[in-house]
Amino acid sequence: MLSEKGTKEQLFAKYEEVTKANPTNPIYFYNYAVELYKTAYNEDTAQRPANAEELTIKAIEKIQKSIELDAKYPNSRMLLGQIYYNQGVDIITKNKTIKPKGNIKLTPAQLKQKEDMRQASSKKFDEAVEQFVKIDELLGSQGKLKMEEKQFLKDSYDLLINIFEQKQNTEKSALFTDKFNNVDKVH
């Protein structure tokens, strides 16, 4: 009810209360993380709230707690992977704004900044890969999957394909493309 009719502050306070009262229930931590991240993230960075970074950090903490409580819950892995993936994309987008003015080459400081950002985005993508591969391990070896699980598997493969294309790793991109194309047949 608070999600639909209350304020975000009321909703987050209720989740704090619920997770304190149920510290071993991974689903409460997952749901809390979903609400935090939904509030924080918008593809258009100008549309994000001023405290988006703080909310995202808190979402990561809550989702990591959910995974700590149940490492085999694919929903938590998917959300954490998406957060890391989106952070990597944000860094790439920011990196593209570092451009020389006129016909001047980038300064050594700008080149270092771009390289640091490239490494930071690569690290975020590696963190995302870890989560998406875990989804493949959890669901990819199973037979028939529920619709939600099948969608998580497809989404994780799709994002893995994007990451490995970005990293120019054609072998891994092809591997996950094949898995993506066969989800409906296999599951």
Side-chain angles (χ1 to χ4, degrees):
M1 289 187 332
L2 284 174
S3 176
E4 294 173 15
K5 298 186 181 184
T7 67
K8 291 295 179 186
E9 291 75 23
Q10 291 171 319
L11 178 64
F12 298 156
K14 182 53 103 175
Y15 269 115
E16 285 293 329
E17 184 183 312
V18 169
T19 55
K20 277 188 179 84
N22 301 281
T24 60
N25 187 325
I27 294 172
Y28 290 136
F29 287 96
Y30 166 76
N31 288 337
Y32 190 6
V34 167
E35 291 297 337
L36 287 163
Y37 195 59
K38 276 185 357 188
T39 303
Y41 184 76
N42 188 310
E43 277 189 47
D44 180 356
T45 55
Q47 298 295 316
R48 293 181 191 168
N51 64 342
E53 189 172 337
E54 174 188 318
L55 291 169
T56 301
I57 290 168
K58 194 167 189 175
I60 291 170
E61 290 169 2
K62 300 303 177 190
I63 205 65
Q64 286 173 331
K65 179 65 175 175
S66 176
I67 291 170
E68 178 186 313
L69 293 169
D70 184 358
K72 294 183 179 182
Y73 188 51
N75 303 42
S76 296
R77 299 278 182 183
M78 189 69 205
L79 178 61
L80 187 56
Q82 287 175 317
I83 291 171
Y84 289 147
Y85 177 82
N86 289 339
Q87 288 177 325
V89 170
D90 285 348
I91 294 168
I92 287 172
T93 301
K94 191 174 179 183
N95 196 354
K96 288 179 182 177
T97 65
I98 302 170
K99 297 178 183 177
K101 306 251 189 277
N103 282 338
I104 305 168
K105 291 183 178 182
L106 289 172
T107 66
Q110 288 172 317
L111 288 169
K112 181 179 179 347
Q113 186 180 17
K114 286 183 82 61
E115 178 57 23
D116 290 348
M117 289 179 133
R118 190 193 64 70
Q119 288 181 13
S121 67
S122 183
K123 182 177 184 254
K124 287 297 176 185
F125 287 147
D126 290 344
E127 291 172 325
V129 165
E130 183 181 333
Q131 299 307 315
F132 299 140
V133 167
K134 192 67 176 170
I135 291 170
D136 179 41
E137 291 170 8
L138 292 170
L139 301 176
S141 60
Q142 295 183 20
K144 189 84 172 138
L145 296 173
K146 297 175 192 167
M147 284 301 291
E148 180 184 47
E149 293 172 330
K150 191 185 286 191
Q151 193 59 52
F152 282 149
L153 195 57
K154 281 183 168 181
D155 290 346
S156 65
Y157 289 155
D158 186 43
L159 291 168
L160 284 164
I161 293 164
N162 289 340
I163 290 168
F164 287 119
E165 285 177 352
Q166 175 76 25
K167 290 179 171 263
Q168 299 177 345
N169 185 332
T170 54
E171 184 180 318
K172 292 237 175 156
S173 177
L175 169 74
F176 289 110
T177 298
D178 185 55
K179 287 185 175 206
F180 177 88
N181 290 336
N182 288 306
V183 168
D184 290 325
K185 289 181 219 166
V186 176
H187 304 287

